[in-house]
Amino acid sequence: MSLNIPQTPQRLLPGAYIPTPATKNYSSVSVPQPNFQSGSTALTQNNARQNTYPPLAQQPRPPPPVDDPAEAVKPLVRAARTINETLGWETRYPELDSYIGQGISSDYDIPLAPAWAPFQKIKTYDIPEKIFEQYNKAQVSTMMGLFAELNHAWITIDNALYLWDYTHPNPDLIGFEEQPNSITAVKLVIPRRGVFVPAITQLLVVATTSEIFLIGISCQTGAGGLSTVALYQTQMRLSIKGIAVTVIEGSLNTGRIFFSGKSDHDVYELTYQQEEKWFQSRCGKINQTTKGFTSLAPTFPFGQKEPQEHVIKMAVDDTRSLLYTLSSKSTIRVFHLKSPNTLDLVITRTASLIYGNVGHMVTRSDLLTPNTSIVSISPISSREASKLHLMATTSTGCRLFLSATASYGWGSGDSTSPPTSMQVQHVKFPPAESSGGQQQQQQQRSSNEVANYGNRSNIDIQSKALRPTRSARRYPPGYFFCFVPKDPQAGADNLFISTPDSGRIARPQDASQLTRYHEYGIWLDLKSRAEDIGLVTVPFAASPTPAGFGNELAVQYDKPATEIAILTNTGVHTIRRRRLVDIFASVIRYGGGDDGLEGEVKKFIRLYGRGETTATALAVACGQGLDVTSDARVARITDPEVLDYARKAFIDFGGKPILNENSVVDQSIPAIDNVRPSPRHEGIALYISRLVRSAWKIPVIQESITPLGGLIVNSNVNLSKLHEIQRELTSLQEFLNTNKSFIEGLAGPEALMRVSTKQEEVALQAEHRALHSLVCLIADIIEGISFVLVLFDERVDEIVLSLSNESRQQIRNLTYEGLFATSTGKDLAKELVKAIVNRNIANGSNVDTVAEALRRRCGSFCSADDVIIFKAQEQVKKASEAGSNSDYGRNLLNESLRLFTQVAASLSMEHLQWAVQQFTSMEFYAGAIQLALSVAKESDRGNKALAWITDGRPEQDPRKDIFNTRKRCYELVHQIILVVDKNSSQVPEMIDGHYTLTAKRKDEAYDVIDHSEDEVFQTDLFDWYLAQDWSDRLLSVQSPFIVTYLQRKSADDVEHADLLWNYYAQVNRFHDAAAVQLQLAKSAFNLSLEKRIEYLSRAKANASASTPGMGRQARQLLLHETTDLLDIANIQDDLLQRLKEDPRISAERRPEVLKELNGLVLSLTELYNGYADQASYFDLCLLIYQAADHRNPADVKATWQNLLESTHRETTERGEPQPWEAMTEKVRSLGNRLNLSESTFPIPDLVPMLETYAYEHQRNIPPSTWIPDLFIEIQIPYESLLPVLETIFYNDEAPFQGRSNKRYISQDMLYVIQRWFQDTVRGGDGRILGGEANAASVSQTLLVLQERGSGLDEGSVEECRELRMRVEGMLR
């Protein structure tokens, strides 16, 4: 029947979001750009672009860039590059989204021949008679199910639950019968971490009509692989009356448990915890669907004419934190799992909406009608697909692939953000109907037929082959199990199984066509009703990302084939996924005669390509094929006929190398590099890469620390796995060696005699080079694995600890690829061999025996340097026997030194320590030091350690390990110095005018040390001197490196900086010493303010001293900077001392303030704004004005005024001393510190302030002349003081107005004149009052004071008259 299907609409289909470049970068999958074309065209081109995995035979193989051309031509490097390319191609296996794109399909190949069947039934385990005995006692209900991962099945009979190991011939029943209610649901979940003891690995959730029970399960696997299960009472139960729980689901990652019942479609969460808490019991439930008070009210179906909608399926996708539910009305709901206890409903898709989406892809199909129900849902994890989220199966057997997206489409936003939209992305229709209901169907179409999703005329959308579908299940990477009742009355099911054909998906025959969703299908007659299905093995995953996830071919030799258990009402059926190698072996085994077998091989080539076919044939020839034996065991196929034909297929169908003459353009590139090796080479590379893929990129060792701090070194790859890889590679090696005469490229030079053209000769040479590289790699891998096995036979932790830090770090990072195929890996292996030998020497073992065992199992890991080391050790032993002080003994020591120095680059630390110890014991100090320095130098030919020191010794720097390696050598020199000093101190230097032998040995040793040009050694030596508290010895060293050393160290350490300025001062470089001290005072070191002031004081003294070769200007600049900083530091110190005692600061704030001030010297702005001004320390504010050269008179005057007021207030509050005394002391001290500066100590302002203060607060309080005494005492000139008083007198301003008030100023004026006159007379220089002009002015002032308006009393007026007469008399 032809279907009239209209063209795809020009508008983009609903849900067909144009893929845009995602934030997540898949290195092996290209992301297509948006294509804004018509729907059908864009869809076709988009899917074509997503086909990123063309056949290997069609792919060009450009070599990756290689840094070292010499290294590139080595066979191991070439072979390793081939393996890496092959592994890279296998990771580019198409994503699920690329071949299940927007559209519909019905592609199935259902083989007629059993040899091609994708699945194979292994065995059927009968239900024990004990179960039937219990079943016969049932009164209400029974249920059955599987815990396939535990190899157990279960059955509920009324209120009892029984478990049994279905693989055991006579299993014991494990029962749970401790409750009276009928069981309605059972589920095995993973518990939340930390709630139960570690022995409980799973949790059994048992729901009854009134309660839910949590039962702990402990599972232990015995030696024979049998699982032993034990149940534990957890005392956790929860009342669920009125819910009628039928569905339970758990999250593997979080341990959360969800359930639902028949009363409604609400989703409940079962909460559980280790102990009860306030208002919270150990178990509880949360209605995550209906929030608030309504969740507590029961629902009653009053007036309903149809059954209440309820949940029939639940599934959790932990990779996306999503919970899917399927209701009885075929409504799919999507919930987002927020941590820890929330669950948000984000999407609801009814059946009508889902089928509405399908209507955009197919107009009409009897399989997808509004009455079609959805019977199953299966999540698709984000590891498997980035777009597709869910597969739903309808009652007609149609598979609906749905994608859920966030608001910005695929690939946008955070991966943890919940989706907001769900659309049907693809519909997979059932296979074609069989005639007569046969279980084995004819092949739906030829295997090489290509169907385009855009051309829907080939798609059968009306097949009823899977109708009605009772239940279905999908497992990664796409195994589909569909249970179809044979006859409703018979109670038996047919099982349809389909699986993606990863070989054809990986290598489509035509890269220009869309990647088809190829599937193999098979029908099985269960002859009973299926009750449950489960995975026996772990879920399939070839990679952790969608790219490469479904590549079954890549892991067919690395991981066990998937096994599935199906429980029916008669027993448990186990089904095994057959690998491609198993299918190929079965085809040979059951395929018929030679002509028939050749046709089957050609069919393999047509389907999977020549390279995959040769790889599979090679694997079968090496014994990789498996089949089910007559006694239901899975065993290897070892039939000689099968192995021989596989060998023949590998040789005869391996193809030939091809020279691409069109690429031979540049004559500088050899023609051999333009040859593409044969598919046979590709097959060998595929087989090798698939054998070693689980170890290739993995580090060899894994270190861990014991609770006591010890080191444990384990293998990252299980040793049994290494044995398996080695065994398979050995089989491959034997196969290639046995058949090399028949294989082109391995046959030898005689094969060149069979070529007829130059092109064939070049191609054969390239083939030989490629195959020889792989053969060499096989041998190296086998030997490398032997070495690893030898290594782990020893005490590997002791061996690793005996290595240098550099080698140990390299061993940590060494991968199996590096060990097998790089020179660095070989060198590290040699280091480990030396460590093994040295350990056996230390334990007294026979070294020859150990060396022979190593040479036999891994002979390429020994070096010629070991022989030289043994010879040098022999010379040392002979010297010890001959006497170290004899000439012969001395010659032997020198010879041993020469040999050790010859292999210094490869000398291990253990050998070096032994040699140094022997040299030192024989007083060969100079030789011991020279050897240690030579080894240190050879270990770092590029002098990276010095660069690391110069760069400031960064912690996370690989050069640090290089320095540490050298330091271990230098530490040996330190020990030698201690021995030399100790021995020389016990013996006199000279006897009878001749140097003693000990003194000569000491001079020889120190001569080597002093003349060493190793700056790293000198730096380490200086560090050691300081560690020994030998600073005097360090300062006495005459070395060109000492200043550089101290300068470098000064940047990080105060003690070194102190040594540096001490060294400068010792050699009379005072200016440099002052500069260092100044930098110390300004540095960020944790120094107290007192220490910084000390440095500044010393710097000021040193900067004042004369330094030879230093100019006066430079000295003055340094002195000026130091002085200024010292002034600021002193002000800061005043602030610090003041704030320590200030009661206004809270106890919490005080430590912080003191810490800020007792450190770095702050700026004047910070001191003023942050502390002095805020704290009203007006005297310090004036000092800051002075230091900052702040000359604003208004600010200065206001600050003085505030200072006087605060001083008076504080003194009055304390009650002592007298206010005028405190004022005098404050002004006196400030005058001295301000150097009587006119800007900050303004006499014209201060005198009126004090006079006013005295009048207002200290009137008639003796002494009356304390103000003029204060200024005279601080050396204020009379010529400056008297005019200020005169100004106050003449201005007649408050408060000195009127005769009675002016008298206070008149008295001070008279007192100042009297003191001035007395001082000038006492001076005896003949100049009265500083000169005639001053004397005349004073005379005039005295005349004014005599007047009545001055306010002086009669006695004072008389004194004025007498003084004026004396002044005028002297003027005459």
Side-chain angles (χ1 to χ4, degrees):
M1 180 179 67
S2 62
L3 297 176
N4 185 17
I5 301 177
Q7 293 292 330
T8 304
Q10 293 300 313
R11 247 188 305 180
L12 294 179
L13 302 178
Y17 303 104
I18 296 296
T20 56
T23 56
K24 182 173 182 182
N25 182 21
Y26 298 101
S27 59
S28 59
V29 180
S30 61
V31 180
Q33 298 294 324
N35 187 352
F36 300 103
Q37 300 181 16
S38 63
S40 58
T41 306
L43 177 64
T44 302
Q45 294 182 357
N46 182 35
N47 280 282
R49 282 196 303 274
Q50 290 180 349
N51 178 21
T52 59
Y53 199 87
L56 294 183
Q58 300 176 10
Q59 295 189 33
R61 300 187 180 187
V66 180
D67 296 333
D68 185 3
E71 186 83 356
V73 299
K74 293 182 179 180
L76 288 179
V77 175
R78 182 179 294 107
R81 186 177 64 199
T82 301
I83 298 301
N84 283 322
E85 290 175 354
T86 304
L87 290 173
W89 288 332
E90 301 233 282
T91 60
R92 291 192 290 273
Y93 180 89
E95 295 185 25
L96 186 67
D97 301 312
S98 66
Y99 56 87
I100 304 183
Q102 183 82 29
I104 61 175
S105 64
S106 63
D107 300 314
Y108 297 90
D109 287 325
I110 303 179
L112 183 62
W116 285 86
F119 285 88
Q120 187 176 27
K121 189 174 180 179
I122 303 176
K123 190 175 183 179
T124 299
Y125 300 94
D126 294 332
I127 296 178
E129 289 297 328
K130 299 177 183 178
I131 297 297
F132 289 111
E133 293 174 3
Q134 296 294 331
Y135 179 79
N136 293 331
K137 301 176 183 178
Q139 297 180 358
V140 180
S141 64
T142 61
M143 292 188 300
M144 298 178 69
L146 273 176
F147 300 145
E149 61 269 35
L150 304 181
N151 290 332
H152 276 63
W154 59 268
I155 186 171
T156 64
I157 301 173
D158 296 336
N159 66 323
L161 169 67
Y162 300 101
L163 282 72
W164 75 94
D165 184 351
Y166 60 78
T167 63
H168 198 281
N170 187 22
D172 294 328
L173 296 186
I174 306 171
F176 172 67
E177 305 170 328
E178 288 78 11
Q179 57 88 30
N181 301 302
S182 296
I183 297 175
T184 59
V186 177
K187 184 67 177 180
L188 186 69
V189 300
I190 301 298
R192 192 167 61 247
R193 295 183 183 91
V195 178
F196 303 100
V197 295
I200 296 180
T201 55
Q202 282 102 354
L203 206 59
L204 193 59
V205 185
V206 180
T208 69
T209 54
S210 62
E211 289 181 298
I212 286 183
F213 297 85
L214 298 185
I215 304 171
I217 290 186
S218 172
C219 180
Q220 296 180 350
T221 303
L226 297 177
S227 298
T228 303
V229 170
L231 302 184
Y232 293 89
Q233 282 286 359
T234 65
Q235 303 303 323
M236 290 186 179
R237 60 174 63 187
L238 174 68
S239 175
I240 53 169
K241 291 183 179 179
I243 298 181
V245 175
T246 56
V247 183
I248 305 173
E249 189 59 61
S251 169
L252 296 178
N253 289 353
T254 63
R256 298 175 67 178
I257 302 173
F258 305 96
F259 62 91
S260 186
K262 288 187 175 181
S263 58
D264 51 38
H265 59 80
D266 288 351
V267 176
Y268 298 83
E269 180 172 0
L270 190 154
T271 62
Y272 56 100
Q273 57 192 7
Q274 192 172 22
E275 297 178 353
E276 292 187 2
K277 299 180 180 179
W278 285 100
F279 308 108
Q280 191 174 5
S281 60
R282 296 181 66 193
C283 276
K285 69 175 184 292
I286 302 174
N287 189 331
Q288 297 286 16
T289 307
T290 305
K291 310 293 183 181
F293 177 77
T294 56
S295 65
L296 303 177
T299 58
F300 301 99
F302 295 132
Q304 292 185 356
K305 297 182 179 180
E306 58 182 19
Q308 176 72 22
E309 181 184 13
H310 60 276
V311 175
I312 60 173
K313 299 287 183 182
M314 275 190 188
V316 173
D317 182 359
D318 281 308
T319 63
R320 292 187 172 96
S321 299
L322 297 178
L323 168 68
Y324 303 97
T325 66
L326 174 65
S327 76
S328 56
K329 293 185 177 180
S330 298
T331 298
I332 297 175
R333 292 178 174 87
V334 184
F335 298 83
H336 183 231
L337 279 70
K338 288 185 178 180
S339 61
N341 295 319
T342 58
L343 187 70
D344 293 339
L345 176 62
V346 292
I347 297 174
T348 300
R349 283 293 177 269
T350 62
S352 59
L353 289 175
I354 294 173
Y355 295 141
N357 291 155
V358 175
H360 289 276
M361 291 179 280
V362 54
T363 53
R364 186 178 182 278
S365 171
D366 294 339
L367 304 181
L368 297 173
T369 66
N371 296 326
T372 303
S373 62
I374 297 176
V375 298
S376 173
I377 55 174
S378 297
I380 301 175
S381 71
S382 62
R383 297 175 57 195
E384 187 175 359
S386 55
K387 301 176 184 176
L388 297 177
H389 284 55
L390 188 69
M391 188 196 81
T393 306
T394 67
S395 58
T396 56
C398 294
R399 282 176 279 168
L400 310 179
F401 293 88
L402 297 100
S403 62
T405 65
S407 56
Y408 296 103
W410 288 309
S412 63
D414 188 0
S415 60
T416 61
S417 60
T420 57
S421 174
M422 176 175 280
Q423 304 288 344
V424 176
Q425 184 78 4
H426 187 88
V427 180
K428 184 78 172 185
F429 285 94
E433 295 181 70
S434 61
S435 59
Q438 295 178 352
Q439 296 173 4
Q440 294 290 346
Q441 298 188 12
Q442 298 292 333
Q443 191 167 349
Q444 185 170 333
R445 59 174 62 90
S446 63
S447 299
N448 60 344
E449 180 183 350
V450 177
N452 192 317
Y453 290 160
N455 182 9
R456 299 177 180 174
S457 59
N458 296 328
I459 300 175
D460 185 357
I461 62 174
Q462 303 293 347
S463 172
K464 299 180 181 180
L466 301 181
R467 185 172 185 175
T469 294
R470 188 169 60 83
S471 64
R473 187 73 60 87
R474 179 190 186 276
Y475 296 111
Y479 306 144
F480 175 60
F481 296 82
C482 184
F483 298 95
V484 182
K486 291 175 58 178
D487 185 352
Q489 304 299 326
D493 290 336
N494 279 336
L495 171 61
F496 176 74
I497 312 174
S498 66
T499 176
D501 188 357
S502 56
R504 282 192 286 172
I505 291 174
R507 294 170 177 83
Q509 295 174 335
D510 189 351
S512 63
Q513 295 290 332
L514 295 177
T515 302
R516 285 176 51 197
Y517 184 12
H518 294 281
E519 281 192 300
Y520 269 117
I522 183 175
W523 284 92
L524 293 178
D525 185 2
L526 297 179
K527 297 183 174 63
S528 54
R529 176 183 171 87
E531 300 292 340
D532 199 1
I533 183 173
L535 274 176
V536 177
T537 54
V538 297
F540 178 89
S543 76
T545 60
F549 180 91
N551 193 351
E552 294 181 272
L553 302 181
V555 297
Q556 59 181 324
Y557 315 122
D558 185 48
K559 295 182 178 181
T562 301
E563 288 188 16
I564 297 96
I566 300 173
L567 174 65
T568 69
N569 55 4
T570 60
V572 178
H573 306 262
T574 54
I575 298 173
R576 174 179 173 271
R577 170 71 166 119
R578 300 179 73 200
R579 307 171 300 169
L580 187 64
V581 64
D582 303 332
I583 295 175
F584 190 88
S586 295
V587 166
I588 298 176
R589 196 175 193 178
Y590 306 111
D594 289 344
D595 294 339
L597 287 178
E598 183 174 347
E600 296 289 354
V601 173
K602 290 180 179 179
K603 179 180 178 181
F604 255 90
I605 295 174
R606 184 173 64 251
L607 292 178
Y608 304 117
R610 196 175 291 270
E612 188 65 55
T613 302
T614 54
T616 307
L618 178 61
V620 173
C622 293
Q624 285 281 4
L626 299 177
D627 200 0
V628 178
T629 63
S630 57
D631 57 348
R633 291 185 303 105
V634 178
R636 293 203 174 203
I637 298 176
T638 57
D639 296 350
E641 297 82 1
V642 175
L643 302 185
D644 186 66
Y645 193 86
R647 180 193 68 85
K648 180 181 178 182
F650 171 76
I651 295 172
D652 294 347
F653 295 95
K656 294 181 178 293
I658 299 175
L659 171 63
N660 187 355
E661 299 184 22
N662 294 328
S663 299
V664 185
V665 178
D666 189 354
Q667 296 297 326
S668 62
I669 301 177
I672 193 173
D673 291 335
N674 291 303
V675 175
R676 186 174 65 216
S678 67
R680 184 183 298 107
H681 167 267
E682 178 186 328
I684 298 174
L686 274 172
Y687 185 52
I688 296 173
S689 66
R690 289 169 180 174
L691 289 177
V692 302
R693 72 186 307 272
S694 61
W696 185 253
K697 295 291 185 181
I698 304 299
V700 176
I701 68 170
Q702 179 183 17
E703 293 185 1
S704 58
I705 304 298
T706 65
L708 297 178
L711 177 68
I712 297 178
V713 180
N714 294 315
S715 173
N716 260 321
V717 180
N718 192 287
L719 296 183
S720 61
K721 181 65 177 179
L722 292 178
H723 277 291
E724 179 186 344
I725 295 173
Q726 187 183 47
R727 183 173 57 252
E728 302 301 341
L729 286 175
T730 301
S731 176
L732 174 61
Q733 186 183 48
E734 293 174 354
F735 174 84
L736 295 177
N737 287 335
T738 303
N739 297 281
K740 63 181 180 180
S741 59
F742 306 104
I743 300 173
E744 288 191 10
L746 293 179
E750 60 272 12
L752 293 173
M753 301 176 62
R754 297 193 292 268
V755 301
S756 57
T757 63
K758 181 64 176 178
Q759 289 79 2
E760 290 182 1
E761 179 181 352
V762 172
L764 186 58
Q765 290 174 347
E767 179 80 356
H768 170 74
R769 185 179 69 173
L771 291 180
H772 174 71
S773 299
L774 293 178
V775 170
C776 292
L777 180 63
I778 293 171
D780 269 52
I781 293 176
I782 293 172
E783 190 175 69
I785 292 177
S786 293
F787 166 73
V788 174
L789 296 176
V790 168
L791 178 64
F792 283 99
D793 284 341
E794 302 282 337
R795 291 293 303 272
V796 64
D797 48 352
E798 296 180 5
I799 294 171
V800 171
L801 285 173
S802 67
L803 300 174
S804 65
N805 290 335
E806 178 186 3
S807 297
R808 185 176 170 185
Q809 182 60 40
Q810 290 176 337
I811 289 294
R812 291 193 195 102
N813 300 330
L814 177 65
T815 63
Y816 281 94
E817 176 192 2
L819 175 64
F820 298 151
T822 65
S823 58
T824 302
K826 299 287 185 182
D827 294 339
L828 289 174
K830 292 176 182 178
E831 289 289 331
L832 289 170
V833 168
K834 293 177 186 177
I836 293 173
V837 174
N838 290 335
R839 179 179 176 275
N840 283 274
I841 291 175
N843 293 337
S845 302
N846 190 326
V847 178
D848 293 337
T849 303
V850 176
E852 179 61 28
L854 288 170
R855 282 194 295 270
R856 185 178 64 255
R857 298 182 64 177
C858 44
S860 63
F861 295 102
C862 297
S863 66
D865 290 346
D866 294 335
V867 179
I868 298 177
I869 293 173
F870 293 145
K871 288 183 179 180
Q873 291 174 335
E874 183 181 10
Q875 298 296 318
V876 173
K877 293 179 180 179
K878 289 182 179 180
S880 177
E881 296 171 356
S884 60
N885 291 327
S886 65
D887 291 341
Y888 179 61
R890 218 64 185 169
N891 290 335
L892 290 173
L893 289 175
N894 285 319
E895 176 63 16
S896 67
L897 174 62
R898 184 188 68 80
L899 291 174
F900 277 129
T901 306
Q902 182 178 344
V903 294
S906 58
L907 198 65
S908 68
M909 182 54 61
E910 186 175 355
H911 285 144
L912 175 62
Q913 290 173 343
W914 181 88
V916 167
Q917 181 181 1
Q918 297 298 319
F919 286 167
T920 305
S921 65
M922 289 182 280
E923 296 186 350
F924 190 33
Y925 306 128
I929 295 172
Q930 184 62 55
L931 177 59
L933 295 181
S934 298
V935 173
K937 181 179 179 181
E938 289 296 327
S939 68
D940 183 19
R941 301 287 300 255
N943 217 6
K944 295 180 180 179
L946 179 60
W948 178 72
I949 293 173
T950 305
D951 291 343
R953 307 189 182 206
E955 280 296 324
Q956 302 300 327
D957 195 310
R959 296 174 298 177
K960 181 182 179 181
D961 296 330
I962 299 175
F963 170 78
N964 289 335
T965 302
R966 297 181 68 165
K967 183 175 177 61
R968 295 181 66 186
C969 301
Y970 301 148
E971 288 172 350
L972 297 177
V973 178
H974 303 162
Q975 297 173 10
I976 299 169
I977 293 175
L978 292 175
V979 174
V980 170
D981 290 348
K982 179 181 179 181
N983 293 341
S984 61
S985 64
Q986 298 173 354
V987 179
E989 185 176 358
M990 299 183 70
I991 298 178
D992 296 334
H994 297 283
Y995 284 101
T996 61
L997 186 60
T998 302
K1000 291 180 180 179
R1001 300 285 186 257
K1002 178 181 179 181
D1003 290 342
E1004 292 173 357
Y1006 275 100
D1007 185 67
V1008 175
I1009 294 172
D1010 293 339
H1011 289 86
S1012 173
E1013 297 181 355
D1014 186 350
E1015 186 175 352
V1016 179
F1017 165 65
Q1018 296 286 359
T1019 300
D1020 181 76
L1021 181 65
F1022 299 152
D1023 284 338
W1024 183 67
Y1025 280 165
L1026 293 177
Q1028 300 298 315
D1029 200 18
W1030 292 348
S1031 56
D1032 293 339
R1033 179 183 288 194
L1034 178 65
L1035 294 177
S1036 64
V1037 169
Q1038 299 298 322
S1039 170
F1041 302 118
I1042 182 63
V1043 173
T1044 303
Y1045 166 78
L1046 291 176
Q1047 287 176 342
R1048 186 186 301 123
K1049 289 285 189 177
S1050 297
D1052 302 317
D1053 185 63
V1054 177
E1055 294 180 0
H1056 289 88
D1058 287 336
L1059 286 174
L1060 179 59
W1061 67 258
N1062 272 297
Y1063 179 81
Y1064 281 143
Q1066 183 173 299
V1067 297
N1068 298 328
R1069 294 171 60 176
F1070 301 111
H1071 184 272
D1072 293 332
V1076 173
Q1077 290 163 341
L1078 176 61
Q1079 291 303 318
L1080 276 172
K1082 296 163 61 177
S1083 69
F1085 290 129
N1086 187 18
L1087 298 174
S1088 66
L1089 183 60
E1090 180 182 3
K1091 190 66 176 177
R1092 296 178 190 274
I1093 292 174
E1094 178 187 341
Y1095 281 131
L1096 289 171
S1097 301
R1098 291 179 180 272
K1100 185 176 181 180
N1102 282 323
S1104 302
S1106 177
T1107 301
M1110 185 58 59
R1112 182 174 178 273
Q1113 182 179 3
R1115 189 171 74 248
Q1116 290 297 326
L1117 289 174
L1118 181 61
L1119 179 60
H1120 178 71
E1121 182 181 0
T1122 303
T1123 303
D1124 288 348
L1125 191 60
L1126 180 60
D1127 292 341
I1128 298 173
N1130 285 326
I1131 295 173
Q1132 184 170 329
D1133 186 58
D1134 290 339
L1135 272 171
L1136 176 63
Q1137 303 306 322
R1138 193 81 59 85
L1139 288 171
K1140 284 182 180 179
E1141 308 298 333
D1142 196 324
R1144 295 174 294 172
I1145 305 178
S1146 63
E1148 295 80 7
R1149 172 68 174 155
R1150 188 183 305 277
E1152 181 182 353
V1153 172
L1154 299 183
K1155 182 179 179 182
E1156 292 172 354
L1157 287 173
N1158 194 21
L1160 289 170
V1161 179
L1162 305 178
S1163 67
L1164 290 171
T1165 301
E1166 291 176 303
L1167 294 177
Y1168 181 82
N1169 293 329
Y1171 302 97
D1173 186 49
Q1174 290 187 16
S1176 299
Y1177 296 154
F1178 302 111
D1179 52 344
L1180 299 183
C1181 290
L1182 291 169
L1183 292 174
I1184 294 174
Y1185 292 161
Q1186 175 74 8
D1189 197 21
H1190 184 70
R1191 296 175 177 270
N1192 190 324
D1195 292 343
V1196 173
K1197 184 176 180 180
T1199 303
W1200 271 108
Q1201 187 66 47
N1202 291 332
L1203 174 62
L1204 297 180
E1205 293 175 359
S1206 64
T1207 303
H1208 175 76
R1209 182 173 58 255
E1210 293 171 2
T1211 306
T1212 304
E1213 291 174 355
R1214 290 198 304 267
E1216 58 177 4
Q1218 290 292 330
W1220 68 270
E1221 293 177 335
M1223 202 70 69
T1224 300
E1225 181 57 34
K1226 180 67 70 174
V1227 176
R1228 181 189 299 111
S1229 63
L1230 277 175
N1232 293 331
R1233 295 190 64 177
L1234 295 173
N1235 296 323
L1236 304 180
S1237 170
E1238 294 181 358
S1239 59
T1240 55
F1241 198 80
I1243 302 301
D1245 293 332
L1246 287 177
V1247 174
M1249 289 182 194
L1250 290 172
E1251 290 289 355
T1252 303
Y1253 167 76
Y1255 174 79
E1256 293 176 350
H1257 300 288
Q1258 302 292 306
R1259 192 186 314 171
N1260 300 323
I1261 297 177
S1264 60
T1265 59
W1266 65 273
I1267 294 176
D1269 285 339
L1270 166 62
F1271 288 103
I1272 293 171
E1273 181 183 349
I1274 62 176
Q1275 304 298 320
I1276 297 298
Y1278 295 104
E1279 294 92 333
S1280 300
L1281 182 58
L1282 184 59
V1284 175
L1285 293 172
E1286 290 178 347
T1287 301
I1288 298 173
F1289 181 82
Y1290 289 121
N1291 285 345
D1292 197 23
E1293 294 178 353
F1296 304 109
Q1297 294 174 329
R1299 180 174 178 274
S1300 60
N1301 292 345
K1302 279 188 175 182
R1303 63 186 176 88
Y1304 298 105
I1305 302 300
S1306 301
Q1307 288 173 354
D1308 287 346
M1309 292 170 63
L1310 176 59
Y1311 179 75
V1312 170
I1313 295 172
Q1314 289 174 341
R1315 288 288 302 274
W1316 191 4
F1317 181 79
Q1318 292 172 4
D1319 289 346
T1320 55
V1321 171
R1322 193 182 303 116
D1325 58 355
R1327 299 182 62 195
I1328 303 301
L1329 300 176
E1332 294 182 1
N1334 287 343
S1337 177
V1338 168
S1339 177
Q1340 186 64 32
T1341 299
L1342 290 173
L1343 180 60
V1344 174
L1345 293 177
Q1346 294 174 22
E1347 297 177 357
R1348 185 175 179 82
S1350 65
L1352 294 176
D1353 55 21
E1354 293 297 331
S1356 298
V1357 170
E1358 185 60 31
E1359 290 178 7
C1360 288
R1361 186 178 297 111
E1362 292 178 359
L1363 182 57
R1364 179 170 179 271
M1365 291 175 61
R1366 291 183 64 185
V1367 170
E1368 290 182 350
M1370 290 183 179
L1371 288 176
R1372 298 191 188 99

